[in-house]
């Protein structure tokens, strides 16, 4: 349930374009064929009573409240399951219908607690509303056998399940099946004994429930209710905003009581999520008001000193004076900054503008360096634009889905639910992953047609083998290639890929994937209809990450799977605004809009607009910044909303570089790992405390709307503006909309973007310009974005990684994410999501565990060429022999202590997915963990001293 300001039509809309005309209560109404009578009536303002029906799930016809009469038909059919028909005459109100509805409602109420005045759903309860709608005034039935003393399930940290208030309408069960696709709920028993059951009569926490909230949203009573509503009461207003977790970019209603967020409810008009959510966006917003929030600026001269709370003016002036001092001593290029993929487009734009125009150099980079920078490079080279090609809804037209190096159910769960719906409808599935993700065979009613369980680091060899089959078996879409692609590059690529060493038989010894499976999968993708490729960090975070992206682009072009619905190349972005941070010019070689800093016309455009002398030389990438710090040539760093001290590889080197710098400025919500090495702390604002926009993985620019006053007094863009003014480069924006207007003026793909347009349309997918004033859901429909309009094929030779196993390091460590946690965990670790995942574990295959005498729960030392850490073991056959796997959500785990400095050849994206390690049973944490634990405790003590003395 939610604040009742959205019309519920009772049943989903029909996709038909054919209209039929009927009469409802004497009124003529036209509706698409396939529409329910209930929805047709609602469309003209006639509300038929209902309980089991809601427009987010298919009609069920069980509650018997929505009965109507139809001229010439027998009985009283349910309006939710009765489709409209030409000339139908429907009656929704008369005495007979009223008596039946009242009698039905009386039966419901006879087995329902009569505690409406103290119920948490009072005023927000459909059962209560329907009792009034049918005119129920008394219950004639005497107390008898009932469910009023049923035990409440409070096991889930975010919601309760009170079966005494359940009317067994099955809305929760159907939402779990149709919307989420988990099938965790069922109706157990028959007749009077019927009840909603999580799993096999388990508690919600012990069941397969993933806490997406779909069941809570669907429930018409207080049976499933958010604990935040029980504790704080019903919200009184709501504001539409956008989730600040993954790259799906779900639209939410922040339901408020004053400035207190009571609950986050998915917006059914959200074009990325269509009213669905996951456990993070739906429930894990408590970090915004967590006790660890730092809301006052702080400074210190050394990281060995206690923090000192100061005014905003003192903190900003101190930071600016240090930056200017460093430049005077070490040179103009001795400082730089890192933008945030968690902040808004407007905030990111200002940070890169400050660095380029205020600092006078191009030393700006972003977390995309360590995740999707190969996407930017590879797709720019082949397609001419650094972004995915489709909208999320495109998947509903896919016939074959190829997932490589991504785990959508954990990393992008709301989109995964949409994908699962299409798979249940019959789309075929190919998964290329070293690990057995849920979609392989652990999702109900879904099983991958092919799981290409390749060895880590062999993506390019596998993709070349797939392409080899396409070329040598004459499966190329020749007409598409001839019309849409650079033919000369294709012919060169065709010759290259047809070479025998790319064949599935030749590459089997490299990838470990049977040649027969590769051939069958290639044929399926090339001939199975609309083929869509979805990929993630398992593609990009390799030494050949850029090559792999190019390989994917080659395969899509060769099979003609571009330019329309159901196809495409779709990078699944990890953070909420990774796409936006790249769009806004966060790379050291590109201005906003992916235009090189050395391009004369672009350079002149920005110099004139910003009224500043700009450098035409690319600046330092993040790894170069660290190297330069060790050389004493890069000594000042401004970090907004990123935690490089936890997220970047080879942490020993990162920490040493941060210690070497003379001024590290961190702008964030908490004293994160990077802030422990900082000299200036500028309090940040959560997504609930700011206005702006995020751009998701499908290029969708969505509104972020402030719902509460910033706890520290400023939104992040305002802080950057203060710092810019203090270093001597004036900024005087009055609102984020002014910043977006400037972005639109200077960035061709954003030309038509404005807050007015976003408010009117809900969201906009760039390019948005004169040719596409309402945005572009599907890219490259007629031409590619390259200068000549043609797609470019590029040879992609497989080159084995330098990170290889041997007798000393016989295992390969690869990394990933888990559903309940997010990125470095700074947000989700400060919520009840730790109930599901309270530490990072090491997954190890039973054979490897047995060889080492390791059992689940044992401490395991993982040692690489770079370092050593210790994690608890989880024996699992999800991983293949010779491969171990962990997540990186907890700083004390030290996952990046053992990752190396190997990186992608084109972009320096780290090779997180391939680290040669040995695993041994141990009894205590590693030396690094002990040392870092002591350092962290010291830093927290220094923070406490500063707060106490403030």
């Amino acid at each position: 349930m939610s604040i009742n300001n959205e019309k519920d039509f009772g049943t989903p809309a029909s996709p038909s374009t054919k209209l039929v005309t009927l009469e409802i209560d004497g009124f003529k109404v036209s509706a698409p064929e396939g529409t329910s009578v209930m929805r047709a009536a609602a469309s003209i303002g006639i509300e038929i009573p209902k309980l089991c029906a809601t427009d987010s799930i298919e009609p069920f016809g069980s509650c018997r409240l929505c009965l109507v009469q139809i001229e010439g038909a027998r009985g009283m059919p349910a309006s939710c399951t009765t489709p409209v028909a030409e000339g139908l005459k429907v009656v929704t109100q008369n005495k007979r219908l009223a008596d039946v509805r009242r009698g039905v409602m009386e039966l419901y109420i006879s087995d329902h607690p009569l505690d409406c005045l103290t119920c948490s759903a009072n005023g927000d309860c459909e059962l209560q509303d329907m009792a009034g709608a049918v005119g129920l005034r008394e219950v004639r039935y005497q107390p008898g056998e009932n469910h009023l003393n049923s035990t409440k399930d409070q096991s889930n940290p975010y919601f309760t399940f009170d079966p005494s208030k359940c009317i067994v309408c099955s809305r929760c069960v159907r939402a779990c099946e149709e919307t989420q696709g988990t099938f965790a709920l069922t109706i157990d028993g028959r007749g009077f004994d019927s009840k909603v059951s999580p799993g096999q009569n388990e508690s919600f926490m012990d069941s397969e429930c993933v806490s997406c909230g779909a069941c809570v949203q669907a429930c018409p009573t207080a049976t499933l209710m958010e604990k935040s509503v029980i504790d704080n009461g019903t919200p009184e207003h709501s504001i539409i905003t956008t989730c600040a977790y993954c790259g799906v970019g779900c639209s939410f209603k922040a339901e408020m009581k004053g400035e207190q967020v009571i609950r986050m409810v998915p917006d059914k008009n959200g074009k990325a999520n269509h009213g669905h959510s996951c456990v993070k966006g739906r429930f894990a917003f408590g970090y915004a008001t967590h006790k660890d929030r730092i809301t006052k600026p702080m400074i210190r001269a050394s990281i060995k000193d206690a923090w000192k709370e100061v005014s905003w003016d003192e903190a900003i002036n101190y930071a600016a004076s240090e930056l200017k001092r460093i430049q005077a001593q070490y040179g103009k290029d001795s400082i730089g900054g890192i933008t945030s993929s968690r902040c808004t487009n407007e905030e990111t734009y200002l940070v890169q503008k400050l660095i380029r125009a205020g600092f006078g150099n191009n030393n700006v980079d972003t977390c995309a360096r360590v995740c999707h920078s190969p996407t930017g490079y590879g797709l720019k080279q082949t397609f001419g634009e650094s972004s995915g090609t489709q909208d999320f809804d495109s998947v509903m037209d896919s016939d074959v889905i190829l997932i490589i190096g991504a785990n959508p159910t954990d990393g992008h769960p709301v989109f995964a639910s949409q994908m699962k719906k299409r798979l249940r409808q019959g789309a075929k599935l190919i998964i290329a992953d070293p690990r057995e993700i849920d979609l392989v065979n652990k999702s109900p009613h879904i099983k991958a047609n092919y799981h290409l369980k390749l060895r880590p680091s062999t993506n390019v060899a596998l993709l070349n083998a797939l392409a080899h089959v396409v070329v040598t078996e004459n499966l190329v879409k020749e007409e598409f290639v001839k019309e849409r692609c650079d033919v000369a590059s294709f012919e060169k690529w065709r010759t290259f890929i047809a070479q025998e060493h790319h064949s599935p038989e030749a590459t089997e010894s490299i990838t470990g994937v049977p040649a027969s499976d590769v051939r069958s999968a290639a044929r399926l993708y090339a001939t199975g209809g609309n083929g869509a490729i979805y990929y993630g960090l398992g593609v990009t975070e390799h030494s050949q990450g850029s090559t792999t992206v190019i390989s994917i682009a080659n395969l899509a072009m060769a099979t003609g799977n571009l330019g329309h619905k159901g196809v495409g190349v779709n990078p699944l972005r990890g953070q909420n605004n990774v796409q936006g941070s790249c769009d806004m010019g966060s790379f050291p070689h590109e201005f906003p809009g992916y235009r090189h800093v050395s391009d004369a016309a672009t350079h002149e455009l920005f110099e004139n607009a910003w009224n500043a002398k700009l450098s035409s030389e690319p600046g330092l990438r993040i790894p170069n910044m660290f190297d330069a710090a060790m050389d004493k040539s890069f000594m000042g760093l401004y970090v907004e909303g990123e935690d490089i001290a936890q997220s970047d590889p080879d942490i020993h080197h990162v920490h040493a570089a941060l210690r070497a710098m003379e001024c590290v400025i961190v702008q964030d919500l908490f004293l994160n790992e990077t802030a422990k090495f900082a000299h200036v702390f500028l309090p940040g604002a959560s997504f609930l405390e700011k206005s702006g926009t995020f751009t998701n993985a499908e290029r969708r620019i969505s509104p972020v709307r402030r719902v509460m006053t910033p706890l520290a007094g400023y939104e992040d863009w305002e802080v950057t503006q203060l710092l810019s003014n203090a270093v001597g480069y004036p900024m005087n924006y009055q609102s984020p909309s002014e910043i977006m207007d400037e972005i639109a003026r200077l960035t061709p793909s954003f030309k038509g973007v404005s807050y007015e347009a976003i408010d009117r349309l809900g969201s906009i997918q760039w390019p948005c310009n004169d040719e596409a004033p309402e945005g572009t859901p599907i890219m490259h429909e007629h031409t590619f974005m390259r200068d000549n309009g043609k797609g470019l094929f590029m040879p992609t030779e497989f080159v084995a990684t330098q990170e290889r196993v041997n007798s000393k390091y016989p295992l390969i460590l690869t990394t990933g994410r888990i559903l309940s946690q997010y990125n470095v965990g700074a947000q989700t670790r400060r919520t009840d999501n730790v109930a599901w995942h309270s530490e990072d574990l090491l997954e190890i295959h039973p054979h490897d565990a047995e060889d080492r005498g390791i059992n689940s729960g044992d401490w395991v030392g993982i040692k690489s060429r770079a370092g050593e850490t210790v994690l608890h073991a989880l024996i699992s056959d999800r991983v293949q022999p010779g491969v171990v796997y962990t997540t990186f959500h907890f700083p004390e785990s030290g996952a990046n202590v053992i990752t190396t400095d190997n990186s992608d050849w084109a972009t320096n994206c780290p090779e997180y997915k391939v680290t040669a390690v040995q695993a041994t049973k141990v009894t205590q944490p590693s030396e690094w963990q002990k040392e870092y634990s002591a350092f962290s405790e010291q830093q927290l003590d220094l923070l406490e001293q500063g707060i106490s003395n403030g």
Side-chain angles (χ1 to χ4, degrees), residues 176-423:
C176 190
E177 294 175 359
E178 298 176 26
T179 306
Q180 169 57 28
T182 296
F183 293 76
L185 304 179
T186 188
I187 300 295
D188 184 63
R190 303 185 68 177
F192 179 82
D193 294 325
S194 298
K195 62 178 181 179
V196 172
S197 170
Q200 298 297 313
N201 289 312
E202 301 166 287
S203 70
F204 267 85
M205 276 301 283
D206 292 333
S207 74
E208 294 176 332
C209 170
V210 294
S211 298
C212 68
C215 60
V216 181
Q217 179 75 355
C219 182
T221 70
T223 305
L224 287 157
M225 177 60 68
E226 299 95 335
K227 289 183 177 179
S228 58
V229 175
I230 295 172
D231 293 341
N232 299 295
T234 306
E236 42 82 17
H237 75 277
S238 68
I239 300 172
I240 299 288
T241 190
T242 301
C243 180
Y245 280 115
C246 78
V248 175
C250 295
S251 179
F252 275 89
K253 292 190 301 178
E255 296 199 345
M256 313 288 297
K257 182 177 281 188
E259 288 210 343
Q260 181 184 13
V261 179
I262 303 299
R263 62 184 170 195
M264 298 291 287
V265 177
D267 175 20
K268 74 176 185 180
N269 295 316
K271 294 178 181 178
N273 59 316
H274 302 293
H276 190 35
S277 60
C278 80
V279 62
K280 296 187 287 289
R282 181 70 159 90
F283 296 115
F285 54 85
Y287 71 88
T289 52
H290 193 273
K291 61 181 179 63
D292 289 350
R293 280 288 300 271
I294 299 176
T295 58
K296 294 183 179 179
M298 304 184 300
I299 61 174
R300 60 181 178 178
S302 163
I303 67 170
K304 296 179 180 179
D305 296 340
W307 285 100
K308 176 186 176 183
E309 287 187 350
V310 296
S311 68
W312 273 105
D313 284 347
E314 184 174 351
I316 291 293
N317 288 332
Y318 178 78
S321 65
E322 281 295 279
L323 292 172
K324 288 188 281 189
R325 176 189 66 78
I326 290 170
Q327 281 191 307
Q329 181 175 348
Y330 297 100
K332 183 181 66 174
D333 295 330
S334 60
I335 63 173
I338 298 175
T339 71
S340 176
S341 291
R342 292 189 287 123
C343 288
T344 65
N345 288 315
E346 295 78 4
E347 290 161 348
T348 300
Y349 176 84
L350 284 203
V351 172
Q352 63 85 34
K353 181 178 180 180
L354 161 64
I355 293 163
R356 298 185 198 281
F359 294 0
N361 60 51
N362 290 315
N363 292 337
V364 57
D365 211 348
T366 186
C367 85
R369 173 67 54 210
V370 299
C371 62
H372 268 287
S373 52
T375 288
Y377 178 85
L379 297 186
K380 184 77 170 179
Q381 295 295 311
T382 52
F383 297 164
E385 194 57 273
S386 303
S387 64
T389 64
Q390 313 295 116
D391 61 2
F392 288 144
D393 287 350
S394 170
V395 76
M396 298 308 293
D397 290 287
S398 297
D399 300 305
V400 181
I401 297 169
L402 168 57
I403 300 172
I404 178 168
N407 186 4
T409 55
D410 281 27
H412 304 84
V414 172
F415 172 65
S417 291
Q418 188 176 24
M419 179 185 285
K420 288 190 290 184
K421 180 180 292 187
R422 179 60 188 146
L423 291 168

Side-chain angles (χ1 to χ4, degrees), residues 383 389-390 480 484 553 556-557 560-564 567-569 780 784:
F383 297 164
T389 64
Q390 313 295 116
F480 179 89
R484 299 291 312 278
M557 288 189 291
N561 279 308
L562 289 162
H564 57 91
V567 298
V569 172
H780 318 302
F784 287 95

